[in-house]
Amino acid sequence: MASSRVFAVVFWFVAAIVSTSVLAKEFIVGDEAGWKRGVDYFAWAKDKDFRVGDKLVFQYPVGGDSFDVVYKVNETGFDECKPLPISGGLYSGNDIITFTTPGKRWYISDGGQEEGGNCMAGQKLAIYVKNKMHEGPYTGMAPTPIGS
């Protein structure tokens, strides 16, 4: 009897992990346009449902005339277009951020000729990441305790 309970607990634990990873989405910022000046990132993000486990992908050309970079900043850095980064900048041209916690997120580009240039031209993104397990409709079935 105890072994069947252990099996049931392990089964539900594994099922929860697998369902979370299968349900994770990958969002390419700006879709086909990518991360660059001239894209309305407020409109792009408006109808998106970002959840813990999802990935945000920033795609942009590296080098050339337009210097793009991704900074994760706080709300002040976002509002003022100042790279007060929470972490170092991302420069690869294919930067992937996996959400591990819920909450607000702010990203800006600090490239361009003048200080804050790309950000001041609208190259900035503000989103809210929801908790995968506790917000929104839950479509899975709750486990039935064994022996009850």
Side-chain angles (χ1 to χ4, degrees):
M1 186 67 135
S3 65
S4 63
R5 286 183 191 203
V6 170
F7 174 77
V9 169
V10 170
F11 172 79
W12 288 111
F13 179 74
V14 170
I17 291 172
V18 169
S19 67
T20 299
S21 64
V22 169
L23 297 175
K25 294 180 184 174
E26 184 174 281
F27 296 94
I28 298 181
V29 176
D31 296 323
E32 299 83 27
W35 181 240
K36 66 180 184 180
R37 281 187 184 213
V39 177
D40 185 348
Y41 293 106
F42 293 103
W44 175 82
K46 185 176 82 172
D47 297 325
K48 306 273 189 296
D49 186 27
F50 302 103
R51 301 282 179 145
V52 170
D54 289 347
K55 295 177 186 215
L56 196 60
V57 182
F58 290 87
Q59 294 181 337
Y60 52 91
V62 178
D65 294 338
S66 175
F67 179 72
D68 289 306
V69 63
V70 178
Y71 283 110
K72 180 180 178 187
V73 296
N74 60 24
E75 190 171 13
T76 301
F78 181 84
D79 291 341
E80 298 176 2
C81 283
K82 296 203 179 193
L84 306 167
I86 292 174
S87 59
L90 304 172
Y91 305 90
S92 76
N94 192 45
D95 305 315
I96 301 171
I97 298 168
T98 302
F99 303 127
T100 57
T101 59
K104 294 181 180 178
R105 305 284 193 288
W106 299 273
Y107 303 95
I108 67 170
S109 175
D110 188 41
Q113 299 296 328
E114 64 283 355
E115 183 177 337
N118 286 350
C119 179
M120 296 292 244
Q123 194 173 350
K124 56 199 262 181
L125 172 67
I127 62 172
Y128 181 77
V129 178
K130 298 176 186 174
N131 188 326
K132 181 74 103 182
M133 302 302 282
H134 301 292
E135 291 183 29
Y138 178 69
T139 58
M141 294 176 17
T144 304
I146 296 177
S148 57

